[in-house]
Amino acid sequence: GAVVSQHPSRVICKSGTSVKIECRSLDFQATTMFWYRQFPKQSLMLMATSNEGSKATYEQGVEKDKFLINHASLTLSTLTVTSAHPEDSSFYICSASYGLNTQYFGPGTRLTVL
Amino acid sequence: KNEVEQSPQNLTAQEGEFITINCSYSVGISALHWLQQHPGGGIVSLFMLSSGKKKHGRLIATINIQEKHSSLHITASHPRDSAVYICAVRSEETSGSRLTFGEGTQLTVNP
């Protein structure tokens, strides 16, 4: 099946710093990428939807200035957590899609903010 | 009430048992996905269904569009099947490929 990678897989940072997470579709061109957040023992929460070359659409309650999303190409989207705080510690997962009923998930990035 | 509900929330089985996880949804859908999430966090797409039944190895997924219900079956379960299984649907009313997720079913298979 199609492969989606995320980098880094784990990151630990100090409070106040910014962290960038990359999501790449390795063997297909993704017209849409999704960013999710997952807290322990909870399901995925959609943060934003990004389409290549256009601004991301954020879900209600998600601060677009805090979670910057860039979808610069059909194979790469980045999520930057700006001025990270301990409450931003979570598991961040991206998925990539090239058709209405296709969605391939990345392996996730575990962010720990000290 | 969530648009997608799974049952049971937790399931413990002995190796070799036949397992069923259920998913009910309340909206018209164009597709239903079954996903597997291992303790490390990575998510694997198991099936995408719009009708009928699909089989892959020991896994079988069925969907009844009229009853708005899907089941995931695991035959001859094994400890390596231990994971969280998530049902997700794409609503007919949704533009694009956005999914709505169930809460997941934590499966533990003991040797």
Side-chain angles (χ1 to χ4, degrees), chain B residues 12-37:
Chain B
T12 301
Q14 287 300 121
E15 184 172 358
E17 287 184 0
F18 180 82
I19 287 161
T20 297
I21 299 171
N22 296 298
C23 175
S24 296
Y25 50 91
S26 57
V27 296
I29 68 168
S30 58
L32 181 143
H33 297 249
W34 279 103
L35 309 171
Q36 179 192 55
Q37 185 173 31

Side-chain angles (χ1 to χ4, degrees), chain A residues 2-111:
Chain A
V3 179
V4 176
S5 70
Q6 276 185 246
H7 178 80
S9 58
R10 286 181 181 274
V11 56
I12 300 172
C13 69
K14 292 182 179 179
S15 185
T17 60
S18 293
V19 175
K20 180 185 283 188
I21 302 169
E22 292 185 348
C23 177
R24 292 182 186 272
S25 56
L26 298 184
D27 51 0
F28 65 98
Q29 293 188 322
T31 50
T32 305
M33 287 187 172
F34 301 88
W35 285 97
Y36 300 92
R37 185 173 180 175
Q38 186 180 34
F39 292 106
K41 299 193 182 299
Q42 294 188 22
S43 194
L44 285 75
M45 182 190 80
L46 181 65
M47 299 175 67
T49 302
S50 79
N51 293 295
E52 185 265 339
S54 61
K55 288 185 179 179
T57 303
Y58 289 81
E59 295 299 301
Q60 194 172 8
V62 178
E63 298 175 59
K64 63 180 180 181
D65 294 330
K66 179 162 186 66
F67 299 100
L68 300 178
I69 291 172
N70 183 281
H71 193 159
S73 76
L74 285 171
T75 58
L76 173 64
S77 177
T78 60
L79 168 68
T80 301
V81 183
T82 62
S83 187
H85 287 93
E87 58 266 28
D88 298 323
S89 298
S90 189
F91 191 61
Y92 293 87
I93 303 173
C94 74
S95 70
S97 170
Y98 61 83
L100 289 179
N101 291 322
T102 65
Q103 198 162 143
Y104 298 96
F105 290 83
T109 296
R110 189 160 303 283
L111 170 64

Side-chain angles (χ1 to χ4, degrees), chain B residues 64-84:
Chain B
N64 185 316
I65 296 294
Q66 287 73 31
E67 294 187 3
K68 293 185 166 62
H69 181 269
S70 176
S71 293
L72 175 68
H73 306 284
I74 304 175
T75 60
S77 59
H78 191 276
R80 64 175 175 266
D81 297 326
S82 299
V84 175

